[in-house]
Amino acid sequence: MATIRRVFTLRLSEEIFDAIGRLATAERRSMTNYIELILLEHLAKKEGEK
């Protein structure tokens, strides 16, 4: 079964955009994939705190 993905616009400062781009490149990931990874890790951490 395919995963349903929602699309939205995210506005970032140039500094944050560039930093995410560098980190994503270092891990050989797309920026979208890297942002999703960061969010998933953060959500897991927050859930663990509850």
Side-chain angles (χ1 to χ4, degrees):
M1 181 192 304
T3 302
I4 297 172
R5 297 194 174 260
R6 298 180 81 177
V7 177
F8 69 99
T9 300
L10 177 64
R11 289 177 178 82
L12 301 170
S13 68
E14 189 170 339
E15 294 83 18
I16 293 173
F17 184 87
D18 292 343
I20 292 171
R22 286 190 301 274
L23 293 169
T25 299
E27 292 195 18
R28 294 195 166 121
R29 296 177 178 271
S30 68
M31 285 184 67
T32 301
N33 180 263
Y34 190 76
I35 292 168
E36 185 174 16
L37 173 71
I38 292 168
L39 290 171
L40 287 170
E41 289 175 353
H42 181 74
L43 291 170
K45 179 182 173 186
K46 286 298 193 180
E47 288 297 318
E49 292 176 0
K50 290 185 179 179

